């Protein structure tokens, strides 16, 4: 379904910069926010210097800010909204369930329906447990893997983001001055005060380097509970994993009784059978979040029955007890079900087609305008890079300070001209988008690239 909103032509490039003027409503709200929240902020990811525009409403693929300026939403709450904003079926499902009670100290039927849908779509999933965020899902998968194996350590990939659990954060922000060798990347803390024991218990591996990763996993195998991998990690440049790389991880983890945990919190968006369907890998556990909640807070761990049995309370104290006041709350479950039922194979095919077209067109814009740049991604996901060099892993995709500044300028110009993306270059599509929105986006992108190049 495409919106009937007219798309702006670059000749009349939309100007959406009212938020940036000192007397704006956003400026006033930010000043107020600073009095009651550290840095006026409750989510580091959405901070934008010197302050962000405040959102008022969302409709389909558009967001209107509190100044009344509208932007094409190419971020969709960091990939969580696959149907954009306020889809009538999701609004109806969530409000109907809300009117019947928001949460209970008892299970509700909806959780069984969403768990069944996930088991039907993911070939590796026989059992599911719900959490309230992707971070919690990753935390529970790690705790579950420790309980299943009786081992303490995990391995994860340099630069990969898996939420805010201490162990999952290790080496998220590694830099050339501390990252060590590619064969044995250093375990670097992300938050000050991280206990040294956390760093000792996380083995860091280089993404997309199968031989090196396997060698390190084999060396540590006796103490490894899990290998945690996102097959298309955003912070590793949104580089899709090489097929042989995932196959090698599957083989070595199976051989040593280590749980392979596939983080599909974002990646589930790339196909009806998830990223595991696209990449042909069968993990022991999968972490989910974002789109499965229909826009409400959510997470889930899905996996093989014998692994997931660590959470089973029916025989007494489980190996890995898992509580959570709002786990599987029926409003989220109802919204998630409505959202996921709309995601038919045809809906994925349409998003794939738009995504491929967009990535090719944006890459073409860089070439045509003569500004260094590349575009990565898969399915409905894309990421722009302010560089021409070969992109493989975290070290090659991490922008230099000069590149990061160029990217920030580009994204801010898009923000000032009717397009919302992440300052990291991440973007994604939603089902309300059609060819008209895509063309408008590409024209705006080319126009702001021209600004970067300056007068010929
Ligand atoms: C791959 C991945 N895992 C986990 C998370 C954490 O999810 P949440 O923000 O819901 O805690 C994210 C969030 O962006 C993510 O991208």
């Amino acid at each position: 379904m495409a919106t009937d909103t007219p798309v702006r032509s670059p000749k009349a490039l939309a100007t959406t910069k009212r938020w940036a003027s000192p007397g704006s409503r956003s400026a006033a709200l930010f000043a107020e926010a600073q009095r009651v929240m550290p840095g006026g902020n409750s989510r580091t990811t959405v901070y934008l210097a010197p302050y962000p525009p405040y959102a008022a409403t969302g409709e389909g693929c558009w967001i209107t800010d509190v100044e009344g300026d509208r932007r094409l939403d190419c971020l969709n709450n960091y990939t969580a909204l696959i149907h954009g904003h306020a889809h009538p079926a999701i609004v109806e499902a969530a409000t109907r369930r809300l009117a019947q009670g928001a949460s209970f100290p008892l299970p509700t039927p909806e959780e069984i329906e969403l768990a069944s849908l996930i088991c039907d779509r993911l070939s590796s999933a026989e059992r599911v447990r719900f959490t309230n965020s992707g971070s919690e899902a990753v935390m529970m998968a790690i705790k579950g893997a420790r309980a299943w194996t009786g081992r303490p350590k995990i391995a994860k990939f340099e630069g990969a983001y898996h939420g805010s659990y201490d162990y999952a954060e290790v080496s998220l922000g590694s830099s050339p001055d501390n990252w060590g060798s590619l064969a044995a990347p250093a375990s670097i803390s992300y938050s000050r005060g991280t206990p040294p024991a956390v760093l000792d218990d996380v083995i860091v591996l280089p993404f997309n380097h199968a031989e090196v990763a396997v060698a390190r996993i084999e060396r540590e195998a006796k103490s490894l509970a899990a290998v945690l991998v996102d097959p298309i990690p955003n912070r590793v440049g949104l580089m899709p994993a090489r097929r042989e790389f995932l196959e090698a991880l599957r083989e070595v983890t199976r051989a040593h009784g280590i749980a392979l945990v596939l983080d599909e919190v974002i990646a589930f968006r790339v196909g009806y059978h998830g990223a595991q369907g696209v990449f042909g890998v069968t993990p022991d556990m999968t972490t989910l979040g974002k789109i499965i909640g229909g826009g409400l807070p959510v997470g889930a761990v899905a996996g093989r029955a014998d692994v997931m049995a660590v959470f089973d309370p029916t025989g007494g104290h489980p190996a890995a007890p898992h509580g959570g006041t709002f786990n599987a709350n029926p409003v989220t479950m109802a919204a998630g079900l409505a959202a996921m039922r709309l995601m038919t194979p045809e809906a994925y095919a349409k998003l794939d087609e738009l995504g491929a077209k967009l990535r090719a067109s944006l890459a073409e814009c860089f070439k045509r305008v003569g500004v260094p740049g590349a575009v990565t991604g898969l399915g409905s996901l894309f990421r722009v890079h302010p560089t021409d060099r070969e992109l493989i892993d975290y070290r090659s995709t991490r922008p230099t300070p000069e590149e990061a500044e160029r990217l920030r300028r580009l994204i801010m110009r898009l923000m000032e001209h009717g397009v919302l993306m992440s300052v990291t270059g991440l973007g994604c599509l939603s089902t309300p988008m059609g060819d008209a929105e895509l063309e408008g986006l590409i024209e705006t992108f080319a126009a702001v690239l021209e600004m970067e190049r300056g007068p010929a």
Side-chain angles (χ1 to χ4, degrees), residues 156-160 165-174 186-190 194 198-199 201-204:
K156 65 153 303 213
F157 290 86
E158 190 172 54
Y165 184 42
D166 283 350
Y167 294 85
E169 273 186 347
V170 172
S171 293
L172 175 54
S174 300
S187 295
I188 303 297
S189 62
Y190 193 59
T194 301
V198 168
L199 302 179
D201 281 344
V202 178
I203 306 301
V204 180

Side-chain angles (χ1 to χ4, degrees), residues 43 78-79 132-136 138 161-164 230 233-234 263-267 287 289-290 298:
R43 181 181 178 196
Y78 279 82
T79 77
N132 294 292
S133 68
S135 296
E136 275 180 68
V138 168
Y161 183 66
H162 300 281
S164 42
D230 176 346
N234 170 39
D263 187 347
E264 294 212 32
V265 168
I266 288 184
T287 51
K290 308 243 186 203
V298 79

Side-chain angles (χ1 to χ4, degrees), residues 97-380:
R97 199 57 187 84
L98 182 60
Q100 295 166 338
S103 62
F104 304 93
L106 297 170
T108 60
E110 284 83 355
E111 66 193 58
I112 309 169
E113 288 183 76
L114 188 56
S116 302
L117 182 145
I118 291 168
C119 290
D120 286 346
R121 294 194 184 186
L122 288 183
S123 64
S124 69
E126 293 174 336
R127 301 285 187 273
V128 178
R129 282 185 82 90
F130 291 103
T131 63
N132 294 292
S133 68
S135 296
E136 275 180 68
V138 168
M139 177 177 76
M140 289 318 300
I142 291 173
K143 291 174 77 168
R146 292 189 191 122
W148 184 58
T149 58
R151 301 170 186 165
K153 296 190 182 184
I154 65 155
K156 65 153 303 213
F157 290 86
E158 190 172 54
Y161 183 66
H162 300 281
S164 42
Y165 184 42
D166 283 350
Y167 294 85
E169 273 186 347
V170 172
S171 293
L172 175 54
S174 300
S175 53
D177 53 316
N178 64 18
W179 61 31
S181 73
L182 189 73
S187 295
I188 303 297
S189 62
Y190 193 59
S191 302
R192 197 188 305 160
T194 301
V198 168
L199 302 179
D200 291 344
D201 281 344
V202 178
I203 306 301
V204 180
L205 307 169
F207 188 75
N208 261 343
H209 294 272
E211 230 173 90
V212 176
V214 166
R216 202 156 193 217
I217 291 168
E218 281 175 336
R219 274 201 302 280
E220 301 281 347
K222 280 195 176 60
S223 52
L224 274 180
V227 171
L228 173 64
V229 63
D230 176 346
I232 171 155
N234 170 39
R235 301 271 195 109
V236 187
L238 206 69
M239 291 303 302
R242 292 169 169 156
R243 214 165 238 274
E244 63 279 12
F245 168 73
L246 288 179
E247 277 165 13
L249 294 183
R250 179 62 285 187
E251 209 173 294
V252 69
T253 48
R254 189 177 285 126
H256 293 278
I258 301 164
L260 181 65
V261 179
L262 201 68
D263 187 347
E264 294 212 32
V265 168
I266 288 184
F268 190 46
R269 186 184 234 284
V270 303
Y272 186 80
H273 298 294
Q276 54 203 264
V278 173
F279 288 89
V281 61
T282 306
D284 299 297
M285 279 190 277
T286 303
T287 51
L288 301 166
K290 308 243 186 203
I291 68 166
I292 66 161
L296 296 180
V298 79
V301 184
R304 227 178 38 244
D306 66 297
V307 184
M308 296 295 289
V310 297
F311 300 116
D312 179 353
T314 57
H317 185 81
H322 171 218
T325 304
F326 296 108
N327 289 358
N329 76 81
V331 182
T332 294
M333 297 294 104
L337 266 171
M340 293 313 298
R341 282 179 180 150
L342 289 165
M343 286 312 298
T344 57
E346 295 71 36
Y348 281 102
K350 188 189 150 201
L351 281 178
D352 281 356
E353 193 187 320
L354 283 180
K357 192 167 149 189
L358 180 65
R359 285 187 295 276
S361 302
L362 297 183
E364 173 57 30
C365 286
F366 279 118
K367 271 210 195 85
R368 189 155 32 95
V369 178
V371 169
V375 186
T376 55
L378 189 71
S380 55

Side-chain angles (χ1 to χ4, degrees), residues 76-96:
N76 290 293
N77 196 15
Y78 279 82
T79 77
L81 307 169
I82 202 155
H83 301 295
H85 302 272
H87 189 292
I90 301 174
V91 172
E92 193 278 325
T95 50
R96 183 172 33 82

Side-chain angles (χ1 to χ4, degrees), residues 377-420:
L378 189 71
S380 55
L381 296 164
F382 64 99
R383 181 163 175 148
V384 298
H385 299 264
T387 179
D388 282 337
R389 73 173 161 272
E390 192 191 3
L391 304 172
I392 304 164
D393 53 14
Y394 175 65
R395 297 184 184 197
S396 56
T397 55
R398 186 178 182 277
T400 63
E402 184 271 320
E403 287 167 351
E405 175 50 27
R406 202 140 37 82
L407 182 61
R408 194 200 62 79
R409 257 196 327 263
L410 174 69
I411 301 298
M412 289 309 285
R413 282 183 175 140
L414 286 169
M415 179 82 110
E416 293 169 0
H417 296 288
V419 173
L420 178 66

